[in-house]
Amino acid sequence: MRIGVDSNVCEAHGQCSVVDMDLFPLDDDGYSAVGPDATVPEGEEDVARIGVESCPVRALSVLEQE
Amino acid sequence: MTGAIADDLLTAQASADPYAVFDALRREDPVHWSGPHRAWLVTRYADVSAAFADKALSNDRVRPVLAKQREERERNENQHGARRAEAGGDDGRPASASERVLALMSGWMVVSDPPVHTRLRKLAAGAFKGQRIAVMDARITALVDELLDGFLRGSGEQDLISEVAYPLPATVIATMLGAPPSDRDLFREWSDELALVAFGTGGAARAERHERALRGLNEMDAYFRGLVAQRRAEPGEDMLSAMMSTDESDTQTSRDGLSDDELVAMCALLLFAGHETTTNSIANATLALLRDPAALAALREDPSLLNTAVEELLRYDGPIKVINRWVVAETELAGRTILPGERVHLVLASADRDPDKFADPDTLDLTRSPNPHVAFGKGIHACIGAQLARMETRIAVGRIVERLPGLALAREPVWKDALASRSMETLVVTH
Ligand code: HEM
Ligand code: SF4
């Protein structure tokens, strides 16, 4: 599974990081540092999905389900 | 400056309907120096957002108070050297109950800036990971149902806050920390005492209560210390055990785990930050639905609305009105110069009604999405318990509307005169 953030949309709400700080790291200013294309470690897909859905401005997306 | 603008958020009228006051401030003077509060009131969404990201605004506000108290004590002790040993203040231990409680609070991440904050938050984050919260769903549902069973056995006018919204979050935190069920009532008392000391307003009448609260908190300190020792010896599946484990792959911030003192402070912070807020989230949400029968009917009809409904209820009348920041360097907000030493009040409840950000902000729209409200704050301090708080609110509100089909407001609620929180004394209903 791969996820990514659209940094033009991210508003630093930090809600993704609340779900899992390692899957959804923030930069020093509180913006998502997940990058445009990150691979989710195996077994953490469900948590990743919760994190993606927790973004109130839909800056995060699932790029590939596998 | 607009002299006539109403800027005292602590009048009975402003407590009952703060949104009218916020409206005027947002329109007329969005970054306003308030004489009554001796602080800047920031009321627009864009400015509150900018403030959350501004490094000139600090959360570190307890350490300076503690340092001053210590300095004063030391000066006194030096003057009265002979009494020093008697007071027992010579092994580096704080002498007074108040200083001990202050020392505990000064270690909270919510009153820390980076890099201290970064390390604490990272070490606490493991305890809040997705899976750990997800497994609470069934437990919380059972707890809510148990409380509602009791509520349904009663009849006539009953207070939904003292019967349901208040006990739930304290019990959830006690459970998550791995405390035995029989100790849960203690958590409720300590939570009240923490609030009293943290927001404690002066006044002679309160002084005695304050003293009693401090004694209670010293008991809390001893209790959490015992819990920490127990978990160190015998780790379990609880949050406290999760916060003890360090991530060895991490070489930067979290290699040195939390000390016993830090774990004790963390337990107190979780209780302080997670209790009253969640109580008010459930109570305010229920009130908003009772005042909007169409929305309530829609939710009863279609429970799948619950997820967006919870976000909207948090936006519409969330538990926190104001979050504080201390100014540590000159900065600018909406063209106003803010100086070091000044205080800034970020008015979350106003930002969440800003028409520049939300269409029809005064309308409760349970389907609103996206809904980038700031009820949980924003940026590096954004509520670490947000997923848990959402779950508690979702389950409690969902079960209340489902199991109490005849729910009706019995009396106009009275709002507490509190600056930080949006909080009712009671929510008296019939069912
Ligand atoms: C609906 C209920 C809740 C609301 C509205 C809420 C709101 C907030 C807000 C606005 C902040 C940011 C404070 C700041 O920026 O200075 C915050 C921080 C925090 N909250 Fe919550 N909270 C809620 C429930 C909880 C729960 C259930 C817990 C834990 C059990 C919790 C634990 C914390 C902690 C530890 C912080 C400090 C985070 C940091 O400084 O990095 N909260 N909360
Ligand atoms: S929740 Fe969304 S807006 Fe907030 S930091 Fe994460 S990606 Fe950015």
Side-chain angles (χ1 to χ4, degrees):
Chain A
M1 182 182 188
R2 284 160 42 231
I3 56 174
V5 66
D6 181 342
S7 50
N8 294 317
V9 178
C10 174
E11 293 180 357
H13 284 280
Q15 291 300 311
C16 52
S17 169
V18 161
V19 174
D20 192 315
M21 210 181 196
D22 299 318
L23 284 177
F24 299 97
L26 301 180
D27 68 17
D28 289 348
D29 295 317
Y31 288 87
S32 172
V34 81
D37 187 346
T39 302
V40 174
E42 220 161 295
E44 307 203 5
E45 292 83 0
D46 285 347
V47 185
R49 229 165 265 126
I50 299 175
V52 166
E53 278 161 24
S54 74
C55 175
V57 292
R58 303 203 191 117
L60 292 161
S61 43
V62 175
L63 306 174
E64 193 186 68
Q65 288 291 349
E66 290 300 290
Chain B
M1 200 167 277
T2 35
I5 197 165
D7 63 357
D8 186 348
L9 305 181
L10 282 171
T11 63
Q13 202 186 349
S15 294
D17 181 15
Y19 297 105
V21 180
F22 299 157
D23 258 354
L25 283 165
R26 249 188 344 256
R27 261 196 323 264
E28 291 170 35
D29 197 21
V31 176
H32 173 82
W33 177 257
S34 161
H37 294 290
R38 283 177 289 123
W40 294 96
L41 302 180
V42 182
T43 45
R44 283 192 185 159
Y45 188 96
D47 299 329
V48 167
S49 272
F52 269 124
D54 191 337
K55 293 188 175 62
L57 303 180
S58 163
N59 277 49
D60 192 349
R61 55 188 181 266
V62 178
R63 276 182 199 85
V65 181
L66 179 65
K68 213 168 124 201
Q69 261 203 24
R70 282 201 170 136
E71 208 175 278
E72 260 164 39
R73 175 169 55 83
E74 272 157 25
R75 209 175 30 241
N76 279 339
E77 283 171 0
N78 289 341
Q79 277 166 11
H80 310 281
R83 274 203 232 137
R84 210 174 151 201
E86 228 177 288
D90 52 0
D91 51 358
R93 272 181 67 76
S96 70
S98 134
E99 206 177 297
R100 271 200 296 279
V101 171
L102 216 52
L104 172 105
M105 290 180 168
S106 72
W108 287 354
M109 69 176 114
V110 71
V111 290
S112 302
D113 291 336
V116 174
H117 170 264
T118 322
R119 170 176 167 273
L120 292 172
R121 176 129 182 161
K122 189 138 214 236
L123 286 162
F128 287 93
K129 279 205 178 187
Q131 317 90 304
R132 198 171 288 279
I133 304 298
V135 301
M136 286 304 290
D137 198 303
R139 297 286 282 280
I140 294 173
T141 305
L143 275 169
V144 168
D145 277 336
E146 196 183 303
L147 291 167
L148 285 175
D149 288 343
F151 192 80
L152 282 162
R153 277 195 294 273
S155 60
E157 299 188 353
Q158 292 183 86
D159 179 14
L160 200 58
I161 293 180
S162 60
E163 299 298 316
V164 181
Y166 184 77
L168 177 68
T171 311
V172 168
I173 293 167
T175 307
M176 293 193 80
L177 289 176
S182 51
D183 290 343
R184 282 169 193 168
D185 285 343
L186 293 171
F187 279 70
R188 299 196 215 172
E189 281 168 36
W190 295 331
S191 153
D192 282 351
E193 288 161 355
L194 282 166
L196 186 79
V197 173
F199 301 127
T201 40
R206 298 251 171 119
E208 202 234 335
R209 270 177 65 204
H210 194 260
E211 265 312 304
R212 228 179 320 135
L214 289 174
R215 280 199 299 277
L217 293 180
N218 279 294
E219 278 166 32
M220 175 196 75
D221 190 291
Y223 179 93
F224 285 147
R225 235 161 257 285
L227 206 56
V228 166
Q230 223 174 310
R231 289 289 168 274
R232 284 251 194 245
E234 224 178 300
E237 288 298 303
D238 54 282
M239 281 180 125
L240 194 48
S241 302
M243 289 190 293
M244 282 173 187
S245 61
T246 55
D247 181 357
E248 268 147 42
S249 66
D250 192 305
T251 47
Q252 282 184 357
T253 45
S254 61
R255 225 179 3 180
D256 51 333
L258 295 169
S259 69
D260 286 3
D261 281 350
E262 287 173 329
L263 284 164
V264 168
M266 198 68 88
C267 292
L269 170 60
L270 298 186
L271 181 57
F272 171 73
H275 185 202
E276 211 205 316
T277 45
T278 312
T279 295
N280 294 333
S281 165
I282 296 166
N284 297 1
T286 306
L287 177 69
L289 290 169
L290 284 171
R291 291 218 197 277
D292 191 334
L296 178 55
L299 187 58
R300 283 197 171 120
E301 181 97 344
D302 180 8
S304 76
L305 284 178
L306 259 175
N307 283 330
T308 51
V310 166
E311 299 307 312
E312 175 67 348
L313 290 159
L314 282 162
R315 180 197 72 82
Y316 182 79
D317 203 6
I320 300 187
K321 278 191 289 192
V322 169
I323 285 283
N324 285 305
R325 291 291 188 262
W326 262 245
V327 185
V328 291
E330 186 174 321
T331 186
E332 207 174 272
L333 270 178
R336 291 224 185 271
T337 303
I338 315 278
L339 296 174
E342 292 179 340
R343 272 192 312 168
V344 176
H345 288 345
L346 307 180
V347 189
L348 306 187
S350 171
D352 280 342
R353 295 278 192 115
D354 187 339
D356 286 343
K357 187 70 183 182
F358 301 98
D360 294 328
D362 298 324
T363 302
L364 183 70
D365 173 5
L366 299 185
T367 64
R368 195 184 290 270
S369 174
N371 192 345
H373 66 77
V374 287
F376 290 120
K378 216 176 158 179
I380 61 167
H381 289 279
C383 181
I384 200 172
Q387 287 298 98
L388 179 62
R390 288 187 163 105
M391 179 180 281
E392 289 185 61
T393 308
R394 174 170 53 73
I395 294 171
V397 170
R399 298 303 279 163
I400 286 170
V401 302
E402 186 185 332
R403 294 193 59 191
L404 309 177
L407 188 70
L409 197 59
R411 266 185 249 155
E412 267 312 295
V414 176
W415 294 90
K416 291 186 191 165
D417 288 328
L419 175 67
S421 59
R422 173 92 173 130
S423 171
M424 288 176 267
E425 299 279 1
T426 53
L427 180 58
V428 184
V429 297
T430 52
H431 63 83

